[in-house]
Amino acid sequence: MTSIATLGSHCALQVLKGAKDEGFKTILVCEKKREKLYRRFKFIDKLILVDTFSELSECSSQLKDDDAIIIPHGTLISQMNSSQIESIKIPVFGNKWILRWESDRKMKEKLMVESNLNVPKTIHNPKDIGTLVIAKRHGAAGGKGYFLATSEKDYNKKRDKLIAQGIIKGDNDLYLQEYAFGVSAYLQYFYSPLTEELEFFGVDRRYESDIDGLGRIPALQQMDIDLIPSFNVIGNSPMVLRESLLDEVYSMGERFVDTAKRLVAPGMNGPFCLEGVYDDNGKFTTFEFSARIVAGTNLYVDGSPYSTFLYDEPMSMGRRIAREIKKAKK
Ligand code: AMP
C-alpha cells in the first residue's frame, strides 16, 4: 500500500490529514523532541523518530518498505542542501530538481524573469544602493536576519551588527533586492501534469516579526530604539483578492509553469507559490517563489474561497496532493 510521508514541521499536519482523507497510510519523520506533539493526531499512522532531519537518508529503507512518497516542504529545504535533496532515494512529490532553483538566488531570478514576471531589481554591489533595498539571506531562511538599507553606509552598519550577533558571516550570505512597495500577497497554486491544468488555490498574507510589530509603535519611539527589524514569519492570515485581479493571477501562474517546463524538466508539478506585492495600480511585483507547498496553505484545511469554486468538497492543498497521487496511480 502506498503511503505518504513528510517531515514533522511546517505543514505536516495538513499534508498527512489530507493524505488520510484520500485513503493513504501516513508516515511522519519526526524529531524526538516533537514526538509528544505529533502523537496527539490520530491520522498519523506511523512515526519514524530521528534526532535531526539530516538523518532522513538513513530512513530510506524503512520508507521504501512502506512504498512511501515524500512531500517536500520548507523544512526539508532549510535542513538539507540541494544535492542532498536530489539524492533522496525515495520518490519526492513534484519536481525535486526545481528545489535547487528555489534555493539558489541567481537561478531563482532567472526563472522569474524568463516567466515574464515583474521582478524587483537585484543590486549586485552595496556601493550601488541608491534607494530602499532589502538584504536577504540565501536559502529558505524564512526572513530571519533580513534587513532594510538605504545606503552603503547604512548597509555596512547593519551587516556588521548581524555578523557580531552570529546571524550571518559576511556579504556573501546576503542578496540585495530593491524593496517593492504595496500590499503583500502570497499566491498559492497547484499545477497538475495529469490534466495539464493550473488551479489557483488561495492567497494569504504573512505576519513577520519584527517588521509587522513596528507599526504599533509611534514614529518617535521607533526612532529611539536601535533595532534591525527582521522579517521572520510567525504566522499567516487569510486574504481574498479583487476579482478583477484573478485573470492576471492565472496568467502569471501559467507563464511560470510554461517556463519551468522549459528550464527544469519535468516542470512545476504540484503546489507552488508566487510571492510579492500589489501596487496602487493592481500591478504585481514578484520577489520570490516557492516551488513546493507553502505554510500559508495551512489556513485552508477545509478549503479556501478559491478551492470551493473548483471542488464540491473541502479541498486543502495537502488533500489535493494526495488526490493527484491517487489519480496518477490509477
Ligand atoms: P522571502 O524570504 O523572500 O520570502 O522574504 C521574507 C519577507 O521579506 C517577505 O515575506 C516580505 O515581507 C519581505 N520581502 C522580501 N523581498 C522583498 C522585496 N523585494 N520587497 C519588499 N519586501 C520584501
Side-chain angles (χ1 to χ4, degrees):
M1 183 194 189
T2 302
S3 40
I4 290 185
T6 199
L7 302 186
S9 185
H10 195 268
C11 55
L13 292 173
Q14 184 208 155
V15 165
L16 296 188
K17 173 73 170 65
K20 191 80 211 166
D21 289 344
E22 291 296 303
F24 288 96
K25 178 176 175 183
T26 57
I27 303 178
L28 189 78
V29 179
C30 180
E31 287 180 324
K32 285 177 188 152
K33 63 180 182 199
R34 296 215 180 134
E35 179 182 359
K36 200 169 157 211
L37 167 71
Y38 284 108
R39 289 246 184 247
R40 295 173 191 272
F41 304 102
K42 303 296 172 242
F43 53 84
I44 304 177
D45 295 317
K46 181 173 172 180
L47 261 69
I48 299 179
L49 295 174
V50 293
D51 286 314
T52 67
F53 290 131
S54 57
E55 290 167 34
L56 180 67
S57 54
E58 288 143 45
C59 309
S60 290
S61 65
Q62 275 194 73
L63 289 166
K64 259 193 194 144
D65 290 345
D66 277 308
D67 192 17
I69 296 170
I70 287 260
I71 313 301
H73 56 52
T75 305
L76 185 87
I77 301 192
S78 64
Q79 303 282 318
M80 294 173 91
N81 64 37
S82 301
S83 308
Q84 287 169 325
I85 294 173
E86 286 161 6
S87 59
I88 292 176
K89 295 281 184 293
I90 31 191
V92 175
F93 184 80
N95 177 358
K96 65 180 174 182
W97 291 280
I98 203 171
L99 299 176
R100 183 181 285 274
W101 291 68
E102 176 181 333
S103 298
D104 182 302
R105 292 280 177 197
K106 276 203 183 113
M107 292 169 92
K108 175 172 250 175
E109 195 185 325
K110 182 176 159 79
L111 196 52
M112 294 195 292
V113 169
E114 296 225 358
S115 302
N116 204 9
L117 296 172
N118 182 33
V119 178
K121 209 171 111 194
T122 303
I123 287 93
H124 296 285
N125 189 324
K127 284 193 174 58
D128 300 329
I129 300 176
T131 175
L132 183 62
V133 301
I134 180 163
K136 315 208 270 190
R137 289 165 65 203
H138 294 286
K144 204 173 173 67
Y146 289 21
F147 63 89
L148 301 176
T150 48
S151 65
E152 186 189 6
K153 195 171 153 214
D154 185 25
Y155 165 86
N156 286 342
K157 196 175 117 203
K158 290 170 178 164
R159 175 205 57 201
D160 291 345
K161 199 167 169 188
L162 290 178
I163 293 174
Q165 289 171 358
I167 295 176
I168 57 166
K169 291 204 182 78
D171 288 321
N172 286 343
D173 288 338
L174 296 171
Y175 166 85
L176 295 174
Q177 198 175 52
E178 248 175 36
Y179 188 85
F181 289 92
V183 171
S184 61
Y186 299 78
L187 311 173
Q188 308 159 5
Y189 301 88
F190 186 95
Y191 175 70
S192 166
L194 301 177
T195 60
E196 299 193 328
E197 270 178 41
L198 180 70
E199 298 163 20
F200 176 53
F201 243 78
V203 50
D204 70 285
R205 300 197 70 188
R206 292 183 184 166
Y207 279 114
E208 296 167 337
S209 186
D210 315 294
I211 195 74
D212 285 320
L214 267 190
R216 291 167 56 92
I217 303 171
L220 221 55
Q221 277 75 42
Q222 287 183 17
M223 286 160 79
D224 274 350
I225 48 176
D226 187 22
L227 170 78
I228 303 177
S230 75
F231 290 72
N232 193 21
V233 185
I234 299 299
N236 306 74
S237 66
M239 186 182 190
V240 283
L241 294 173
R242 282 176 72 154
E243 196 153 314
S244 56
L245 297 172
L246 285 186
D247 194 38
E248 180 58 13
V249 166
Y250 270 99
S251 302
M252 289 189 295
E254 275 164 359
R255 294 203 297 275
F256 189 75
V257 165
D258 289 345
T259 309
K261 263 186 199 156
R262 191 161 49 79
L263 294 185
V264 49
M268 187 57 266
N269 298 342
F272 67 98
C273 182
L274 297 181
E275 309 168 6
V277 295
Y278 280 102
D279 71 9
D280 54 348
N281 292 313
K283 188 171 177 207
F284 194 68
T285 298
T286 313
F287 50 67
E288 278 281 347
F289 69 80
S290 297
R292 34 80 197 173
I293 186 169
V294 286
T297 59
N298 288 341
L299 284 164
Y300 305 122
V301 276
D302 286 327
S304 79
Y306 296 101
S307 71
T308 301
F309 298 135
L310 303 171
Y311 294 91
D312 288 327
E313 59 194 318
M315 186 59 68
S316 69
M317 190 63 94
R319 186 167 187 180
R320 180 65 188 87
I321 292 170
R323 177 76 51 101
E324 189 79 356
I325 294 173
K326 207 155 99 176
K327 270 204 221 165
K329 272 194 77 174
K330 269 197 198 141

